[in-house]
Amino acid sequence: MSAQFGKVVVIGAGTMGHGIAQVAAMSGYSVTMVDLSDEILRRALERIRWSLSKFAEWGRIRPDDVDKIISRISTTTDLESACTDADVVIEAVFEDLKVKQDTWSRASRAARKARILGTNTSSIPIDDQASAVEGPERFLGIHFFNPPQLMQLVEIIVGSKTSDETRKLATEFARSLGKTVVTVYRDVPGFIVSRVLTRIEEVACHLVEKGKYTPVQIDSALKYRAGFPMGVFELIDYIGIDITYNVSSKVMAERDKTFRPIELLKRYVERGELGAKTGKGFYEWPGGARPTIPQDAGKDVDIWYIIIPGMNEAARLVEQGIATHEDVETAIKLGLNLPKGVLGYAAELTAEKVRSVLSELRAELGEGYDPSPYLLSIVAQPRPAAAKYEEIEVRREPPIGWIVLNRSHRLNAISPKMLDELEDAISELAADRAVKVIVITGSGERAFSVGADITTFSEILSSESKVPMAFWFSVRFNEVFRKIERTPKPVVAAIDGYALGGGLELALVCDFRIASDRSEVGQPEIRLGLIPGGGATQRLTRLIGPSKAKQVIFFGDRIKADEALRLGILDKVVPAESFEREVREFAMKLAELPPIALAAAKEAINTALNVSIDDGLRYESSLSALLFSTKDLAEGVSAFFSKRKPEFKGE
Ligand code: COA
C-alpha cells in the first residue's frame, strides 16, 4: 500500500471489478465497490471470499487474513457518495462508450479529491471517455488482465489529456498492488498485448484459410517449437471464438485499417461453435478438457510466418514511441505467458527472412504487414541485448553454460535485479542448443551467495505496504527458482564459500550441489526473526526429511561442508584447491549423456514427490516410451551391441 492513496473506489463489481477490488484490499487499501444493485454487490463479495479462500488454501495468505481483507471492502449503490472522499477511482463497467461516459461524468464530478481516475477498458478509446470527465488530466487507462487476482501485468494507457503526474501516480499505485506496469504512451487499439496477439491470430487464420497449414499444425509448432504455452487456436477456443472475433472486428478493424475482421472466426460464430464454452470450436472440449496437440504435427510449419507478424506489430509500437522495447517485451511475456518477449526472437532471424515473409503476407493481407524499420534494424544486429547483465555474468563454454553471481562486494547477495537477470539467463541458456549443462556459481573468493540482499528488507520494513511487498518479493524468488528447477537441462550449483539463506535455496533448486571443503551452508533467516522465503521449508524438508530440516532452519547455524554432506544437503565435497576442475569434470560427465533422456529423467524424478506412486509410475512409463522416438536411444542401443562409446546428439 502507498500512503498517498487511502481510499480506492471500484465502480462495477463484475469479473474485472471484483477482482481489482480484491487486489486493492489485499494490498491494504480500504475499498468501496459500487454497482447498480445490492444483489450484484453481494455476489461480488461472495466471489471475493471464494477467491481469498483459494489464496489461503494455496498458502499465499493466512486463513485469518480472509476476514481481515474482506473487512476492508465496503459496498454501495450510491456512486456519488462513494466517490466523494476517494483518492483513486477505477471503473470496470460494461464495455460501452455511452455507459462509460455516463459513469465518468457522475463519478468525476463527485470525486473532487481523487488524483487518479482510471478506466479498466480493453476496447473503448480513452479520449472518447475523457470528454465526459471533469478534470481529464486525472484520467487514464489502467488495464488489468483477467483474472486480476492472478495476472501480474497492468497496462497504463496515457490519453491525450492525461498529465505526467497522473501517469506517474497511477504507475505507483499499480505497483503498490504488486503489479508489473507497462506504459502505453498513446491510446492505440488493443494497447500492447491484445494488439500483438490479434495480429498473430489474424495471420494464423489466414494461413489456415489459404490451406497452407491446419490449426493443429500451427498450434503444435507454436507449442513445441516456439515455446508458446498454448497454441493460438487453442487459445482462441479457450477465450471464446466470438470474443476473439469481436476484438478483431470491433476493437481493432473499426479503429485501425491495418487490421481486418477475421472471417474464418465469423463462420464458426455463425455456426454457434464458440470454443471451449460450447464444447466445440477448432477443437473438441469434452467436459472442458484441454485438447491434446500432437508434438510432431507442426514439424513442417514455418513458424516465422506466424511469429514475424507479431514481432512486426510489436516493433511498430516501439518505433512510434508508443511503448519502450522493454515494456513491449515485458507485456508480451506476462500477458501471453511467453518464454520471452516477442522481439526476443530477433536474434534467431535475418533481415532477408523478415522481408520475404512480410512481403508475401503484405501482398495477401495489406499494409498491416509492411516491415517495421525498427524490426529490420534489430534483426540486423542479432544480439542487441548482449551486455544486458549487470549483477550476473553469463559465460558460454559449450557444452557448459555458466551463470556467475556477480556481486562479490555483497558476497553475491541476491537483489531483485539479480533475480530478473537469473530468470533471463536461465531461459537463454536453456534455449541454446550448444549448452548441455548449466553451472551456477559465485564470483569472488568468499561466497556462492549469502542470500537475499538484506538492504531490500530494510526498504520493505520502511514502506507502508510491508506485507504485500514482502509477499511479492518472496513470490518472485519462488517464481524464478521454480524456473531454474524446471529447466530441462541439468543444473549444477558450484559452491565455494558461503551458501546461506536464499543462496542455499538457489542451490537447492539445482540438480546437484558440489561444494569446496571450506564452504559453509545454512538457513540463518531465523536469526533475523524471519523464516526462509525462497523455498527451503519445502525443498530442504523433501531433501533431508522434516527433523533434519527443522534442525537447519530452527537453529540457523552455519554448517560446515562435511557435515552438510553427511546431512544430505550437499552431493559432493571437493578440496578448495581443485574446486573448479572438479566442477568442470562433473559437468562434462553430464554433458556426455543423452540430453532428451536426461530431461525426461529430471522431469520424472521432480514429479515423484508431488504425485501418487501410481500416477508417477504411469508417467515414468509414458516418458520412457516417448524416448523410443529419439535417435539417441537407437544410437545407445546400437553402440551397446557394437561395443563402442555412444554419441548422443539430442535428437
Ligand atoms: N545482504 C546484503 N548484504 C550482505 C548480506 C546480505 N544477505 N550478507 C552480507 N552482506 C554484506 C555485509 O553487509 C558486508 O557489507 P559491507 O562491507 O558494506 O559492510 C559485506 O557483505 C561483507 O559481509 P560481512 O558481514 O562484513 O562479512 P563477514 O565475513 O563478517 O560475515 C556472513 C559473512 C555471511 C557470515 C555475514 O555477512 C552474514 O551473516 N550475512 C547475512 C546472511 C544472512 O542472514 N542471509 C539470509 C538473508 S535472508
Side-chain angles (χ1 to χ4, degrees):
M1 189 175 143
S2 161
Q4 298 223 47
F5 322 107
K7 183 178 164 192
V8 177
V9 168
V10 180
I11 310 172
T15 303
M16 296 304 290
H18 91 267
I20 297 167
Q22 177 182 331
V23 170
M26 285 175 84
S27 304
Y29 291 105
S30 122
V31 183
T32 306
M33 260 195 311
V34 185
D35 210 313
L36 295 176
S37 76
D38 289 329
E39 177 53 24
I40 300 175
L41 290 164
R42 193 188 55 74
R43 254 185 290 134
L45 275 179
E46 253 170 40
R47 290 170 84 181
I48 292 178
R49 181 172 287 283
W50 177 87
S51 164
L52 288 172
S53 71
K54 284 282 154 203
F55 274 85
E57 226 172 81
W58 300 329
R60 288 173 68 171
I61 57 173
R62 290 204 322 260
D64 53 350
D65 286 339
V66 173
D67 284 328
K68 243 186 254 163
I69 293 167
I70 295 218
S71 73
R72 295 192 194 117
I73 306 176
S74 59
T75 61
T76 177
T77 52
D78 184 344
L79 174 69
E80 275 82 2
S81 70
C83 289
T84 323
D85 58 346
D87 298 300
V88 179
V89 181
I90 297 181
E91 161 276 314
V93 303
F94 188 61
E95 287 279 275
D96 174 277
L97 177 60
K98 181 87 182 49
V99 176
K100 298 232 185 224
Q101 283 178 332
D102 285 350
T103 308
W104 276 120
S105 149
R106 290 168 54 203
S108 60
R109 272 166 191 77
R112 298 204 166 277
K113 177 174 159 233
R115 297 164 75 196
I116 305 172
L117 305 175
T119 171
N120 177 58
T121 188
S122 56
S123 61
I124 313 282
I126 306 299
D127 283 350
D128 292 359
Q129 297 182 57
S131 62
V133 174
E134 189 171 285
E137 69 288 346
R138 303 179 290 166
F139 183 74
L140 81 180
I142 304 187
H143 182 225
F144 289 80
F145 285 70
N146 188 16
Q149 297 94 325
L150 300 179
M151 293 290 285
Q152 180 70 33
L153 183 66
V154 167
E155 290 172 326
I156 295 241
I157 304 101
V158 181
S160 57
K161 300 231 168 76
T162 311
S163 72
D164 257 6
E165 196 200 340
T166 306
R167 173 177 57 76
K168 286 185 195 149
L169 284 172
T171 303
E172 186 185 329
F173 173 67
R175 285 197 182 131
S176 77
L177 304 179
K179 299 296 177 194
T180 301
V181 175
V182 295
T183 310
V184 185
Y185 285 94
R186 187 152 29 97
D187 179 16
V188 286
F191 315 138
I192 302 174
V193 177
S194 181
R195 191 173 177 88
V196 171
L197 176 63
T198 307
R199 187 65 81 197
I200 290 176
E201 290 164 346
E202 180 182 273
V203 75
C205 289
H206 170 70
L207 297 171
V208 168
E209 289 224 88
K210 187 170 139 172
K212 192 171 164 99
Y213 304 123
T214 64
V216 176
Q217 283 179 314
I218 291 177
D219 279 5
S220 172
L222 288 177
K223 233 174 123 139
Y224 300 113
R225 290 175 42 215
F228 280 43
M230 260 193 185
V232 63
F233 292 97
E234 189 185 1
L235 180 65
I236 295 173
D237 264 6
Y238 182 77
I239 294 174
I241 300 183
D242 51 339
I243 291 176
T244 308
Y245 175 68
N246 262 330
V247 172
S248 84
S249 57
K250 294 267 176 329
V251 182
M252 304 305 298
E254 267 182 24
R255 286 176 57 203
D256 184 333
K257 63 180 172 15
T258 72
F259 283 83
R260 48 184 60 207
I262 306 178
E263 291 301 316
L264 177 67
L265 302 183
K266 189 174 173 193
R267 290 200 291 280
Y268 277 83
V269 175
E270 284 165 357
R271 289 202 297 274
E273 293 175 3
L274 306 182
K277 62 187 163 190
T278 58
K280 190 167 172 5
F282 290 101
Y283 297 93
E284 306 273 348
W285 294 74
R290 271 179 75 170
T292 319
I293 295 168
Q295 187 149 6
D296 66 346
K299 62 181 186 322
D300 298 326
V301 171
D302 183 345
I303 50 172
W304 297 118
Y305 274 81
I306 302 133
I307 294 176
I308 289 175
M311 295 173 77
N312 199 46
E313 203 54 58
R316 282 211 201 141
L317 292 171
V318 180
E319 91 196 5
Q320 293 171 10
I322 294 167
T324 63
H325 181 117
E326 290 71 25
D327 274 7
V328 166
E329 292 297 79
T330 303
I332 298 297
K333 210 156 112 180
L334 297 178
L336 298 180
N337 266 322
L338 291 194
K340 54 185 168 191
V342 73
L343 295 173
Y345 288 94
E348 297 166 43
L349 280 168
T350 60
E352 289 86 86
K353 180 71 183 173
V354 171
R355 280 209 184 85
S356 94
V357 166
L358 289 176
S359 81
E360 187 180 327
L361 294 169
R362 167 77 170 90
E364 293 165 354
L365 291 168
E367 64 194 290
Y369 296 80
D370 280 334
S372 141
Y374 180 64
L375 179 59
L376 292 171
S377 80
I378 60 175
V379 291
Q381 354 161 333
R383 285 195 190 279
K388 65 185 172 187
Y389 300 115
E390 287 171 21
E391 303 202 337
I392 62 172
E393 186 194 335
V394 172
R395 281 205 320 260
R396 282 162 216 269
E397 295 173 10
I400 307 177
W402 297 83
I403 297 179
V404 185
L405 310 178
N406 204 10
R407 296 182 78 215
S408 54
H409 61 295
R410 285 262 167 268
L411 305 180
N412 304 319
I414 304 174
S415 65
K417 184 173 172 62
M418 185 190 274
L419 275 180
D420 290 350
E421 294 188 354
L422 266 174
E423 180 174 41
D424 288 347
I426 205 83
S427 311
E428 204 178 289
L429 292 179
D432 186 335
R433 281 182 65 91
V435 171
K436 302 273 193 284
V437 180
I438 299 168
V439 180
I440 304 181
T441 192
S443 66
E445 306 291 305
R446 302 192 51 209
F448 173 78
S449 167
V450 291
D453 189 323
I454 298 176
T455 52
T456 314
F457 293 178
S458 317
E459 277 166 37
I460 295 177
L461 281 169
S462 62
S463 148
E464 282 292 326
S465 44
K466 303 181 187 38
V467 174
M469 266 177 88
F471 172 73
W472 289 112
F473 186 55
S474 166
V475 167
R476 183 74 187 129
F477 262 81
N478 283 326
E479 267 177 352
V480 175
F481 283 8
R482 191 87 175 121
K483 275 197 185 151
I484 297 174
E485 183 166 47
R486 304 204 63 174
T487 307
K489 293 180 181 176
V491 184
V492 178
I495 301 167
D496 184 21
Y498 295 120
L500 301 175
L504 178 55
E505 291 174 306
L506 171 59
L508 289 174
V509 297
C510 298
D511 299 306
F512 300 99
R513 285 157 291 285
I514 304 182
S516 67
D517 52 8
R518 62 175 182 170
S519 299
E520 293 183 14
V521 307
Q523 296 292 157
E525 290 86 346
I526 205 95
R527 294 175 180 234
L528 298 172
L530 192 61
I531 63 166
T537 60
Q538 305 304 304
R539 291 196 181 88
L540 200 56
T541 309
R542 284 166 162 81
L543 186 68
I544 63 177
S547 36
K548 285 185 198 154
K550 282 176 187 159
Q551 207 179 309
V552 175
I553 292 171
F554 282 12
F555 291 102
D557 289 329
R558 296 207 300 268
I559 303 164
K560 297 220 175 334
D562 283 340
E563 169 70 354
L565 179 68
R566 203 184 57 75
L567 283 169
I569 302 173
L570 297 174
D571 299 293
K572 197 172 158 83
V573 174
V574 299
E577 311 76 64
S578 54
F579 175 68
E580 193 172 328
R581 182 166 49 77
E582 294 270 0
V583 170
R584 271 176 201 278
E585 275 174 19
F586 186 80
M588 290 306 288
K589 267 196 215 154
L590 282 167
E592 282 175 16
L593 299 166
I596 306 175
L598 268 186
K602 175 166 178 175
E603 168 74 11
I605 295 169
N606 284 353
T607 304
L609 294 165
N610 300 324
V611 299
S612 73
I613 180 94
D614 285 325
D615 289 347
L617 291 173
R618 273 298 150 96
Y619 194 42
E620 184 188 273
S621 303
S622 314
L623 286 171
S624 95
L626 274 175
L627 292 172
F628 280 78
S629 64
T630 62
K631 288 189 186 151
D632 282 352
L633 177 57
E635 161 68 8
V637 171
S638 130
F640 173 80
F641 285 117
S642 45
K643 300 193 189 314
R644 63 179 168 81
K645 200 173 163 211
E647 261 191 58
F648 296 116
K649 297 212 168 88
E651 291 171 8

